[in-house]
């Protein structure tokens, strides 16, 4: 029932969910995407276990699975026990914290509670005060900046205190790094699809679109 592997399956489930199609209805023969996601243990072998568990939680929630379901509850417990702001399995940079934050918020975790506050603080620490970019794995990039805007704007909508200038600076970074072909790539002059998609996540969360984001080219 999978599409390529654990990671691609999870993102596919979220993509189908955004289009109001549920993973249990996406089948190859008798097996569905949801069948694979609920039985797959491949995420336990991934290098970044916190991001992998968070990604799987988001996929299962997008598939309509409740937070108390046996496929989700152990993953949430692992994130809470090991992947908070000071968790021993939480890697440096904003990447983990953003995924973990979205996953926990999707399961009803208090957005103003200690756990989410800690993740928010970690995310804010990774922003460069001059450029406005967010850092992950030692480098600034448009994709993690777009994702950072996305979760911070979401937290703000939930009543969390977020300095408006934090989002303004991050948005300006995306403005200055948009390439002539319309997209983004932190390492080349031609846009990369994945970097562009994550940058667009931030733009979409700001309720902005094509008319505000035409590049010089």
């Amino acid at each position: 029932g999978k599409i390529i592997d654990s990671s691609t399956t999870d993102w596919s489930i979220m993509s189908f969910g955004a289009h109001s199609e549920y993973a249990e209805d996406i089948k190859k023969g008798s097996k569905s995407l949801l069948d694979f996601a609920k039985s797959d243990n491949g995420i336990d072998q991934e290098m970044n276990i916190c991001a992998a568990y968070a990604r799987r939680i988001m996929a299962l929630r997008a598939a309509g699975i409740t937070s108390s379901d046996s496929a989700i509850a152990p993953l949430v417990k692992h994130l809470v026990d090991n992947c908070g702001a000071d968790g021993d399995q939480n890697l440096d940079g904003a990447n983990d914290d953003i995924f973990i934050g979205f996953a926990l918020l999707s399961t009803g975790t208090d957005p103003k509670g200690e756990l989410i506050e800690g993740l928010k603080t970690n995310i804010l620490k990774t922003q460069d005060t001059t450029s406005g970019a967010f850092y992950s794995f030692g480098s600034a990039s448009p994709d993690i900046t777009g994702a950072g805007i996305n979760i911070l704007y979401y937290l703000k909508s939930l009543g969390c205190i977020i300095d408006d200038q934090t989002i303004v600076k991050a948005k300006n970074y995306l403005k200055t790094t948009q390439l002539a072909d319309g997209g983004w790539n932190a390492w080349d002059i031609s846009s990369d699809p994945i970097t562009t998609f994550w940058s667009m996540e931030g733009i979409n969360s700001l309720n902005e679109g094509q008319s505000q984001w035409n590049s010089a080219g």
Side-chain angles (χ1 to χ4, degrees):
K2 69 182 177 182
I3 296 180
I4 301 177
D5 54 22
S6 297
S7 176
T8 309
T9 296
D10 288 340
W11 291 120
S12 298
I13 289 173
M14 286 182 258
S15 182
F16 280 116
H19 197 252
S20 299
E21 296 184 56
Y22 287 97
E24 63 183 346
D25 298 323
I26 311 300
K27 295 183 177 181
K28 179 74 170 181
S30 62
K31 293 294 185 181
S32 69
L33 279 177
L34 183 58
D35 289 330
F36 175 79
K38 294 189 77 170
S39 62
D40 169 47
N41 294 319
I43 55 175
D44 294 326
Q45 279 73 56
E46 293 189 31
M47 292 180 62
N48 190 337
I49 198 73
C50 294
Y53 276 30
R55 188 192 69 231
R56 177 57 50 82
I57 290 169
M58 289 190 286
L60 291 171
R61 291 293 290 127
I65 305 303
T66 62
S67 303
S68 59
D69 190 274
S70 60
I72 289 184
L75 303 180
V76 172
K77 185 178 187 308
H78 186 93
L79 293 190
V80 172
D81 291 347
N82 303 284
C83 301
D86 299 316
D88 60 338
Q89 294 179 9
N90 192 339
L91 304 182
D92 292 337
N95 186 66
D96 287 22
D97 300 294
I98 292 171
F99 280 13
I100 296 162
F102 273 129
L104 292 177
L105 289 168
S106 79
T107 63
T109 301
D110 182 4
K112 298 180 182 179
E114 182 178 350
L115 185 54
I116 299 297
E117 278 291 323
L119 292 169
K120 182 189 78 172
T121 299
N122 264 15
I123 294 167
L124 292 172
K125 284 180 180 177
T126 69
Q127 186 179 35
D128 183 83
T129 56
T130 302
S131 70
F134 285 92
Y135 276 71
S136 197
F137 306 114
S139 63
S141 65
D143 54 355
I144 202 66
T145 301
I149 292 172
N150 195 350
I151 193 164
L152 292 175
Y153 198 82
Y154 182 47
L155 287 171
K156 184 178 177 66
S157 74
L158 295 175
C160 297
I161 298 173
I162 304 291
D163 186 350
D164 288 338
Q165 285 303 306
T166 297
I167 296 175
V168 169
K169 287 180 179 180
K171 174 183 168 180
N172 288 340
Y173 168 76
L174 291 183
K175 282 285 188 182
T176 60
T177 54
Q178 187 178 19
L179 299 173
D181 62 10
W184 284 266
N185 189 336
W187 305 279
D188 201 353
I189 60 173
S190 297
S191 295
D192 165 72
I194 295 176
T195 305
T196 300
F197 295 156
W198 278 108
S199 300
M200 290 173 66
E201 291 282 354
I203 292 167
N204 289 340
S205 70
L206 296 172
N207 294 316
E208 296 190 3
Q210 188 71 25
S211 61
Q212 296 98 339
W213 289 84
N214 280 307
S215 68

